[in-house]
Amino acid sequence: MTKAKKYDFRVVQVGETWKTEITRRMTATKTIVSKSHDGFASEAEAEAWGKQELPAFLTTQAERNKRKTEKQLKAKSIADAIAAEALTDEADALSDDAQQIDAADSADVVED
């Protein structure tokens, strides 16, 4: 089994010009274009742009992924806090109900 890069670039000729595409391996058989630039006069120019742009693109992706992860963790911690508060409120309500039942039972005992 070969080890393919998740992100790479390819250079294709479009008519008289060249186009560079930054690609992402979505599955083993499917590749999608994440970013492209066309209008290069030569293949060398297109390849140079791809070599320069790929690391910058990967850095941007890493920063974006980090921001999204932080946002998800913050949302999860807020949701956990709300759930914990709801459980506490429910436990307090059950405790109050139990005290009222005990008070009603002891009142019945006193009357007998």
Side-chain angles (χ1 to χ4, degrees), residues 40-84:
F40 294 105
S42 69
E43 183 179 9
E45 289 177 16
E47 191 167 325
W49 183 86
K51 286 180 181 177
Q52 175 188 0
E53 192 63 28
L54 184 60
F57 179 80
L58 292 175
T59 302
T60 304
Q61 281 296 109
E63 290 170 0
R64 179 179 176 267
N65 290 345
K66 184 178 177 182
R67 284 192 311 268
K68 286 183 80 173
T69 300
E70 289 171 354
K71 186 177 178 181
Q72 289 171 348
L73 289 174
K74 183 177 178 182
K76 185 179 183 318
S77 67
I78 290 171
D80 289 346
I82 291 171

Side-chain angles (χ1 to χ4, degrees), residues 22-43:
I22 295 178
T23 59
R24 179 174 66 93
R25 293 288 293 197
M26 191 167 169
T27 64
T29 58
K30 187 172 183 180
T31 302
I32 62 171
V33 176
S34 297
K35 186 175 184 176
S36 67
H37 191 283
D38 61 352
F40 294 105
S42 69
E43 183 179 9

Side-chain angles (χ1 to χ4, degrees), residues 13-18 40-42:
Q13 188 171 11
V14 180
E16 297 292 318
T17 62
W18 293 86
F40 294 105
S42 69

